[in-house]
Amino acid sequence: MAPKVSDSVEQLRAAGNQNFRNGQYGEASALYERALRLLQARGSADPEEESVLYSNRAACYLKDGNCTDCIKDCTSALALVPFSIKPLLRRASAYEALEKYALAYVDYKTVLQIDNSVASALEGINRITRALMDSLGPEWRLKLPPIPVVPVSAQKRWNSLPSENHKETAKTKSKEATATKSRVPSAGDVERAKALKEEGNDLVKKGNHKKAIEKYSESLLCSSLESATYSNRALCHLVLKQYKEAVKDCTEALKLDGKNVKAFYRRAQAYKALKDYKSSLADISSLLQIEPRNGPAQKLRQEVNQNMN
């Protein structure tokens, strides 16, 4: 006989979480439902807590294949706290399972407006794009529902959450590596990767670096074999002052092409911004061995040396 769970919202949610981790999705769902009833009976407004409970119960429904109820609970969660990443991702997965690809695309795209490095959203966009192209043809984008514009306040709220809420983001790089480097991309994957990279390049020319990162990331999920895609994404990270991400992308670019001058230069810029002057000078030196008369690199070396003095 299962032990009795004390009737407090916090304890019911904690017990539900434990059951979920144990794979007991029906039991977890029942505990979340009890917590919801108790919270609503109190009559006190706690939209954050209520939203989490709906989202958690939706995760149970999704695991059990009950996509319809998953969508309902995610929609309830989002009505309470709009633009929450977890219910958006869960609803997108449910829509995808029901082959409602256009609606799934909208939710995945909304997530990427909030955090453009969420691996599951990037992978979902890649899958859904292919499905939409197959079902709706080359003008599939014209047939999509409107994609909501995420307010800056929602992005700031996500960024201010504790790190444990960013598990999807934390897994991005490793998922990207396993999704692409563990297999040889097909000719179709390579073509799709090139097309997405060009879309990213166009966005850079328009000054939309955040959207460009999304395109380059989608491109790398199709094929991670092109050094320039990493160094192009690094440029966007530099502009957005995401210096550690720029260093990572340049490092990946140089693994693929040890003479990628732009990758050396951009990583040197990122190291300079991070005040790692020794590493910056090392990259500039490597660049000048390839192109001894590179003016921007010579100027950057002077700047770094001045900062060190």
Side-chain angles (χ1 to χ4, degrees):
M1 183 176 175
K4 181 174 172 32
V5 178
S6 300
D7 277 342
S8 84
V9 171
E10 294 76 14
Q11 288 172 318
L12 287 166
R13 177 157 65 92
N17 292 349
Q18 186 59 52
N19 278 330
F20 186 89
R21 285 191 289 269
N22 293 339
Q24 298 169 310
Y25 305 122
E27 292 86 343
S29 176
L31 287 163
Y32 295 138
E33 186 168 346
R34 282 175 58 189
L36 275 166
R37 286 202 305 265
L38 182 60
L39 188 66
Q40 291 161 356
R42 283 181 186 170
S44 58
D46 191 348
E48 291 274 353
E49 180 70 26
E50 193 173 352
S51 178
V52 167
L53 289 168
Y54 274 119
S55 180
N56 287 3
R57 189 171 67 177
C60 299
Y61 289 142
L62 188 61
K63 287 288 188 181
D64 282 337
N66 183 353
C67 294
T68 301
D69 283 336
C70 172
I71 290 166
K72 288 179 182 177
D73 269 4
C74 289
T75 302
S76 295
L78 291 163
L80 290 159
V81 182
F83 304 111
S84 297
I85 281 189
K86 287 184 178 180
L88 279 167
L89 285 172
R90 288 162 185 166
R91 191 170 68 178
S93 295
Y95 280 140
E96 186 175 357
L98 294 173
E99 298 185 5
K100 295 182 177 181
Y101 297 126
L103 293 172
Y105 184 92
V106 169
D107 278 351
Y108 283 134
K109 269 293 186 183
T110 304
V111 169
L112 292 173
Q113 287 185 68
I114 302 164
D115 185 340
N116 58 30
S117 66
V118 176
S120 54
L122 289 165
E123 292 166 358
I125 282 288
N126 190 38
R127 290 190 307 272
I128 297 298
T129 297
R130 292 177 182 176
L132 288 169
M133 288 178 71
D134 290 342
S135 61
L136 301 179
E139 296 186 349
W140 61 273
R141 291 182 189 275
L142 302 176
K143 302 171 184 177
L144 292 174
I147 297 171
V149 176
V150 176
V152 174
S153 59
Q155 297 171 6
K156 288 181 177 177
R157 187 176 66 83
W158 168 248
N159 290 330
S160 69
L161 290 174
S163 58
E164 59 266 23
N165 288 286
H166 291 234
K167 289 180 180 177
E168 292 288 345
T169 302
K171 295 176 183 176
T172 300
K173 297 301 178 185
S174 60
K175 281 197 173 186
E176 193 174 86
T178 55
T180 56
K181 294 179 183 177
S182 62
R183 62 176 175 82
V184 177
S186 66
D189 287 334
V190 172
E191 286 303 311
R192 176 75 182 140
K194 286 181 180 178
L196 286 163
K197 188 186 82 168
E198 289 305 315
E199 288 183 40
N201 293 347
D202 290 340
L203 287 164
V204 168
K205 291 172 185 174
K206 295 174 183 176
N208 195 339
H209 295 91
K210 189 172 181 181
K211 283 283 186 183
I213 287 175
E214 290 181 24
K215 292 300 178 182
Y216 292 136
S217 298
E218 290 177 44
S219 175
L220 289 166
L221 285 168
C222 294
S223 172
S224 62
L225 301 179
E226 187 158 355
S227 177
T229 308
Y230 281 109
S231 55
N232 288 3
R233 189 169 69 175
L235 170 65
C236 299
H237 286 309
L238 277 173
V239 172
L240 297 172
K241 299 183 179 180
Q242 298 166 345
Y243 300 120
K244 291 181 180 179
E245 293 301 315
V247 168
K248 290 177 185 176
D249 273 353
C250 289
T251 301
E252 290 300 321
L254 289 164
K255 287 178 184 177
L256 293 165
D257 178 5
K259 294 185 177 181
N260 186 329
V261 169
K262 289 181 179 178
F264 275 124
Y265 183 73
R266 289 165 187 168
R267 191 168 69 176
Q269 287 180 301
Y271 279 137
K272 175 176 175 276
L274 293 167
K275 299 184 179 180
D276 185 350
Y277 302 127
K278 184 177 179 181
S279 296
S280 182
L281 285 174
D283 277 347
I284 296 167
S285 177
S286 296
L287 189 163
L288 290 173
Q289 287 178 23
I290 302 167
E291 290 186 7
R293 297 184 179 181
N294 189 299
Q298 292 172 347
K299 182 180 179 183
L300 182 61
R301 181 171 60 183
Q302 290 176 352
E303 293 172 359
V304 174
N305 282 325
Q306 286 172 0
N307 288 336
M308 292 178 72
N309 294 332

